[in-house]
Amino acid sequence: MAGRIRQSDVEEVKARTNIGDVVGDYVSLKSAGVGSLKGLCPFHDERSPSFHVRPTVGLYHCFGCGESGDVYSFLQKMDHVTFAESVERLAQRIGYPLSYEEGGGKVDHGNRARLFAANQAAAEFFQQQLHDGDADLGRRFLGERGFDAAAADHFGIGFAPAGWDHLMKAMRARGFTDEEMLAAGLVSSGDRGAYDRFRGRLIWPIRDTTGQVLGFGARRLREDDKGPKYLNTPETAIYHKAQVLYGLDLAKRDISRGKRVVVVEGYTDVMACHLAGETTAVATCGTSFGVDHIKMIRRVMGDDSATGEVIFTFDPDEAGQKAAIRAFGEEKRFAAQTYVAVSADGLDPCDLRLNRGDGAIRKLVDGREPMFEFIIRRTLAGFDLETVEGRVGALRAAAPVVADIRDPSLRPGYTRVLAKQLGMELDEVARAVRGAVGNASSASRDARQQGPGDPAAAPPRERQASLADLPKDPSTRLEQDALRAILQLPQHLERPMLERAVQSSVANSSLAVVRDAMSVSLDQLGSNAWLETVIAQVPPGFDGLVRELGVSPLPETNEEKLPSYVRDIARALIDRDLLGQKAALLGSLRRTDPRDEAHREITRRLAAVEAERRALRAEA
């Protein structure tokens, strides 16, 4: 088929791409030993990191859910792109020109690539329009909120002209069709045909963690604009509002480093926080803060301990209070501590910066209070605590809040706080909290017993061999460590020793399968396809074990000692095999007549094995 990317280019792009850098755009990674990285798995929800990346072999593997693959499969699964699109994206990333078979030039391998391109072209158009004379309303809006031209450029803010087809004409001139613009959410369709979706509005580009433009948020400026105050890109193949956070592309590095994120409510609030030095601020895009947003933040933060901080800012109005309650409902999904920061006079971060300067935003964030305290206070505010009925009602409403605290060591302290605020006896409040804890535990237990559905209805999963299933005895550990070292770092072994190592006996049946696959894949040594060839050689059910061996951290953590470690562990495997041969030969020798030729042959073989052992030890 014309336009197929040449296989040599596919391999070259992968060889030149550091999978750690690509995965790092989505997941906060930290060192897990020499040449190994780990973080929270982006494919399932977890509290402690089990997702490992091994840049030297170009693979990732999650020891929790079993997801694994190379840099192409990672992009395919994360961004829902085709294989060809993942190759093209990485080629563009490293500036590598692709060639196509049968003389074909570059062709469109899927609609998603065109949607990204269309959004980028539209973002450039909107930014240019902000500098033109017709954008006075937009520039005035920004200026009145304390944002200058440099701030607008930093966040990529633009302006959509008031006409019906200004963007359409510009996009057509750049080769985009009306169908592509419609699919990207840039235009709408009515009885009279297509027209610009955003007209006479200030525009914020919404990007993914890699900086690609997914869609836009548009703010109403004119009095005669009867549309909503904020108009966002509709759901498209690349834009899903429940799965994006505005500002995350700019904030992700500092979120990862500082283990802190500030969740605000609007685009201008994100801008104000960043310009004031709180560069971890993000905001949702036309939807409430939900589970998918939590997963994104946890991956970027590396949320696997209680040391992180998630700080929510809410407006003091009714909508803001509802948002706080919703966020509290999902609080237990974080390992990090959650806080609330609300200005005493009800100003949002943008207005706070405008009225009181950058320092006021920093003071707001620094003055955060634990989310539980905030929720308890808001809960009690709905009752008349001067009456017995009010206090009893407040206790019934607040006891489940204290019971929901995921750290049991904090519950007694908050129980005392609640008793003091209610003016009730501590024992009475403690009984209510214990009862609420019991009810929550029973509900959780019932949910677990009921399960997610009928197991019989789920398709059977192929049983996979795994490192977790291997025995923990020293012999199996030696086999495991030797095969892992040879899979990951074969370059540290001379060819004769490497061949001898993969021909050595392996007692564990699962590891023996891997050893056999390595033995028949030696012709790929020195190429980028070495590990993939071994994976392709093993029978179904063993590919996961090879990937685990290929990405799991090595016991040696000193990079300078790695070559010696690989040689030593391979030498130990060979020496054990020779020792086994020696024991078998000695047994045979005792069973044969010294006058027979068989006895002399065994003696010669025994001498050869002993000579090989001495030579092996002399190399150490």
Side-chain angles (χ1 to χ4, degrees), residues 279-552:
T279 54
T280 64
V282 297
T284 59
C285 302
T287 186
S288 58
F289 190 82
V291 174
D292 288 332
H293 298 126
I294 293 173
K295 291 179 180 178
M296 293 174 64
I297 287 176
R298 293 195 67 224
R299 289 197 301 265
V300 172
M301 181 185 289
D303 179 33
D304 58 344
S305 71
T307 60
E309 293 185 358
V310 182
I311 304 169
F312 294 91
T313 67
F314 298 111
D315 290 339
D317 58 16
E318 183 178 353
Q321 301 307 312
K322 289 181 179 179
I325 297 297
R326 284 194 299 269
F328 172 69
E330 303 293 349
E331 188 270 346
K332 289 188 291 297
R333 294 180 180 271
F334 286 108
Q337 298 300 312
T338 53
Y339 297 87
V340 174
V342 178
S343 172
D345 47 12
L347 296 177
D348 60 31
C350 181
D351 289 335
L352 191 63
R353 175 177 179 264
L354 186 63
N355 291 321
R356 300 182 184 172
D358 293 347
I361 287 186
R362 295 192 292 271
K363 184 177 180 180
L364 170 70
V365 175
D366 291 341
R368 64 201 179 279
E369 65 176 315
M371 176 170 278
F372 283 105
E373 292 185 10
F374 174 81
I375 295 297
I376 291 172
R377 182 160 49 80
R378 298 306 306 175
T379 300
L380 298 185
F383 296 89
D384 182 3
L385 301 184
E386 297 299 320
T387 67
V388 173
E389 292 80 5
R391 290 193 293 273
V392 171
L395 176 59
R396 288 172 179 168
V401 176
V402 178
D404 262 348
I405 298 177
R406 63 173 180 267
D407 186 349
S409 64
L410 295 178
R411 289 180 196 148
Y414 279 106
T415 301
R416 288 191 292 272
V417 170
L418 179 59
K420 182 178 181 180
Q421 292 176 337
L422 290 172
M424 300 176 71
E425 293 295 329
L426 178 60
D427 289 346
E428 183 179 359
V429 176
R431 281 196 302 272
V433 171
R434 285 196 298 270
V437 171
N439 291 336
S441 299
S442 298
S444 176
R445 195 162 50 244
D446 292 342
R448 288 197 301 271
Q449 291 171 353
Q450 182 178 1
D454 181 8
R461 296 188 64 183
E462 185 178 74
R463 172 64 177 167
Q464 281 278 345
S466 170
L467 288 178
D469 298 330
L470 297 180
K472 308 304 180 185
D473 61 280
S475 177
T476 305
R477 172 61 68 178
L478 170 63
E479 295 169 358
Q480 173 184 317
D481 288 347
L483 295 184
R484 173 164 40 206
I486 297 170
L487 271 174
Q488 295 184 18
L489 299 169
Q491 67 271 23
H492 293 316
L493 295 175
E494 297 292 335
R495 181 64 180 246
M497 179 179 285
L498 193 149
E499 292 179 350
R500 183 64 183 84
V502 298
Q503 291 167 3
S504 299
S505 62
V506 172
N508 182 270
S509 58
S510 295
L511 293 175
V513 171
V514 178
R515 185 274 320 272
D516 292 341
M518 294 168 65
S519 180
V520 299
S521 304
L522 290 177
D523 59 336
Q524 290 295 328
L525 271 175
S527 76
N528 296 321
W530 157 241
L531 190 55
E532 293 177 355
T533 303
V534 176
I535 292 172
Q537 291 291 343
V538 296
F542 289 88
D543 53 310
L545 177 58
V546 179
R547 290 190 177 94
E548 289 180 349
L549 289 167
V551 303
S552 55

Side-chain angles (χ1 to χ4, degrees), residues 9-26 43 51 53-55 57-61 68-79 81-83 85-87 89-91 93-94 532 547:
D9 282 357
V10 172
E11 296 172 359
E12 187 65 23
V13 169
K14 184 160 71 169
R16 296 190 186 193
T17 299
N18 186 324
I19 188 175
D21 293 339
V22 176
V23 175
D25 287 334
Y26 301 82
F43 303 113
F51 182 77
V53 180
R54 175 71 69 170
V57 297
L59 288 181
Y60 65 87
H61 181 85
S68 62
D70 61 10
V71 67
Y72 294 139
S73 64
F74 181 82
L75 286 181
Q76 286 178 268
K77 293 172 183 176
M78 288 299 299
D79 292 341
V81 296
T82 66
F83 175 78
E85 288 170 337
S86 68
V87 178
R89 185 183 294 187
L90 291 176
R93 179 186 180 113
I94 64 175
E532 293 177 355
R547 290 190 177 94

Side-chain angles (χ1 to χ4, degrees), residues 62 84 88 160 194 241 248 323 394 508 574:
C62 177
E88 291 179 331
K241 62 184 179 182
L248 188 58
N508 182 270
I574 298 171

